[in-house]
Amino acid sequence: MRTSLTLLAAAAVLSTAGIAQAADYAIDPTHTFATFEIGHFGASVNRARFDKKEGKVSFDKAAKTGSVDLSIDMTSVNSGTAMFDKHLQSPEIFDAAKFPKAQFVSSKFVFNGDKVASVEGNLTIAGKTQPVTMKANQFACYENPMLKREVCGGDFETTIDRTAFGVNYGVDWGFPKSVRLVMQVEAVKQ
């Protein structure tokens, strides 16, 4: 009986040894971009990106779970026009001096088969937090030939109502409330 229990315990340990566990990944800032788009009087679309970002991801492909914590430096907004960047950072819009970071935090990855379909979490902009779902337009993990490590990433998007975050500038003039956010993210396994 004792031998049988020992064999059962050994079999249990061996059977779980091959099961993948959550791995930690660091956001690669050179392959991660957060951008936004908002209509401009129905004539064109204003676009800008944030050049400084950092974060971490925990991902378990086998269990189909994960978490993400991505911080964006609001003072790094880059529209390609210095005067517009200053206005975006001003108290009228992002109030970057008072709220220097935006943050997306999630602990819910939604899968379609083996692929990440979306990530549900909370987005904080200008000190206000709202739930958002970032739809995955594409997602993959691969062995990076230069780094010799696994990299996971994707292209995610959502549309938010900016007034829910207190960003109301220009609504009275006809600027839309809806803003499209696009996040291109790659993270390197640690």
Side-chain angles (χ1 to χ4, degrees), residues 57-183:
V57 176
S58 180
F59 184 57
D60 186 333
K61 288 179 261 184
K64 297 184 179 180
T65 61
S67 64
V68 62
D69 187 342
L70 175 65
S71 292
I72 299 166
D73 182 339
M74 300 303 281
T75 65
S76 73
V77 67
N78 182 351
S79 67
T81 305
M83 284 182 54
F84 186 40
D85 295 346
K86 285 183 93 171
H87 188 225
L88 288 168
Q89 292 178 43
S90 77
E92 288 185 316
I93 302 180
F94 293 133
D95 200 358
K98 187 174 180 182
F99 303 105
K101 298 271 185 206
Q103 189 170 22
F104 177 70
V105 178
S106 170
S107 61
K108 185 171 183 185
F109 285 30
V110 178
F111 282 74
N112 182 4
D114 289 334
K115 294 277 187 177
V116 173
S118 64
V119 178
E120 298 175 8
N122 290 313
L123 178 64
T124 302
I125 299 173
K128 294 187 174 52
T129 303
Q130 297 292 326
V132 298
T133 298
M134 300 295 297
K135 176 186 165 218
N137 294 323
Q138 58 189 44
F139 181 87
C141 294
Y142 65 97
E143 188 69 23
N144 185 297
M146 292 178 286
L147 300 175
K148 308 288 190 228
R149 287 195 274 171
E150 182 182 53
V151 173
C152 292
D155 191 66
F156 299 87
E157 73 173 270
T158 193
T159 299
I160 62 167
D161 176 348
R162 65 188 174 96
T163 62
F165 297 92
V167 182
N168 301 318
Y169 180 81
V171 171
D172 294 340
W173 298 339
F175 290 142
K177 293 179 182 181
S178 62
V179 175
R180 181 174 177 249
L181 302 178
V182 178
M183 291 191 190

Side-chain angles (χ1 to χ4, degrees), residues 21-41:
Q21 295 183 359
D24 293 325
Y25 298 77
I27 297 292
D28 177 356
T30 64
H31 288 92
T32 298
F33 297 96
T35 61
F36 70 87
E37 302 175 351
I38 184 170
H40 189 252
F41 293 109

Side-chain angles (χ1 to χ4, degrees), residues 3-16:
T3 304
S4 297
L5 287 176
T6 303
L7 287 174
L8 274 173
V13 168
L14 289 174
S15 68
T16 59

